Amino acid sequence: HMSALDSKKDASNSPVVTWKIPHVRVGVGTLVFKRDKDGKHLVLIGKRKGSHGEGKYALPGGHLELGESWGACGSRELEEETNIRIESKSWRIAFVSNDVMPKDRKHYITIFLQVLLPDENPQEAKNMEPNKCEKWEWRLFQDLKDTLKPDSLFIPLKHLVFHSDFVPMQTSTKNGAHMVFSG
């Protein structure tokens, strides 16, 4: 039985990984926000089931399909998983993370998109894929950092919450990763 990380080292003394998928995949994570009565940002999160990252909190999202725009992917995945409908042009780029997962033998680039649901028309999330998610819940975004342990988050979300200066619905930060999304 060979583990994902065998005992070999490469020239930089990093463990040699036998990759399950021998190329980098692109994931899209959707940050769907609504405001609570105090104007604070609530974000929609769920607990993963039946895939890598099982038992970890994650955002709605999935794989970018060949030829698909980032916004179309975010809208498609969000609707498939939660039944919430968002126009693809409504998304804004929030953050991009490099997610190397040696234990799962996978490597992803995750593009995080964000949208704020209007106060007058909040859509409720339904669990459309109960085999992939325990349930969807609205949590204060700040609570992800303040009350959840880093290891309780799916690796891409952990990178966003604990290793970036991301602020919900802010259009620019010192690292320049935030920009208006079009197309």
Side-chain angles (χ1 to χ4, degrees):
H1 167 64
M2 194 105 158
S3 75
L5 294 174
D6 57 31
S7 59
K8 293 183 213 155
K9 303 274 185 176
D10 68 11
S12 66
N13 205 31
S14 298
V16 174
V17 177
T18 308
W19 298 101
K20 201 176 268 183
I21 301 165
H23 56 271
V24 179
R25 302 210 55 193
V26 179
V28 172
T30 63
L31 289 152
V32 181
F33 292 108
K34 69 178 184 180
R35 293 187 196 275
D36 70 5
K37 59 186 183 331
D38 299 320
K40 293 187 175 141
H41 287 99
L42 299 169
V43 66
L44 186 64
I45 63 168
K47 240 186 211 176
R48 291 174 65 90
K49 272 168 67 173
S51 184
H52 65 291
E54 182 158 17
K56 308 274 187 192
Y57 285 105
L59 304 169
H63 295 108
L64 183 68
E65 302 295 339
L66 197 61
E68 187 175 40
S69 74
W70 298 355
C73 178
S75 294
R76 175 181 56 76
E77 290 287 353
L78 182 65
E79 186 172 351
E80 285 174 7
E81 296 178 19
T82 71
N83 206 40
I84 292 175
R85 290 177 184 86
I86 298 293
E87 282 187 60
S88 63
K89 68 180 186 203
S90 300
W91 295 105
R92 296 196 341 215
I93 295 170
F95 185 69
V96 176
S97 64
N98 185 41
D99 307 311
V100 179
M101 307 174 210
K103 282 190 187 120
D104 297 311
R105 300 185 301 160
K106 294 182 179 186
H107 182 179
Y108 280 83
I109 299 298
T110 304
I111 300 158
F112 290 94
L113 302 178
Q114 63 183 331
V115 71
L116 180 63
L117 296 180
D119 293 337
E120 65 278 2
N121 186 22
Q123 299 182 62
E124 273 314 311
K126 296 185 181 104
N127 192 359
M128 305 301 285
E129 298 178 330
N131 57 320
K132 294 182 181 177
C133 177
E134 287 180 24
K135 67 175 182 180
W136 294 110
E137 59 185 294
W138 295 97
R139 300 277 296 258
L140 277 172
F141 184 77
Q142 191 58 43
D143 281 356
L144 301 187
K145 190 177 270 187
D146 295 346
T147 66
L148 295 177
K149 295 197 171 14
D151 286 342
S152 71
L153 303 181
F154 187 44
I155 287 173
L157 184 56
K158 176 180 167 181
H159 288 160
L160 172 81
V161 171
F162 289 97
H163 303 289
S164 82
D165 60 353
F166 173 74
V167 177
M169 300 312 298
Q170 188 172 299
T171 55
S172 65
T173 68
K174 64 185 180 217
N175 66 14
H178 304 265
M179 57 192 96
V180 175
F181 174 78
S182 65

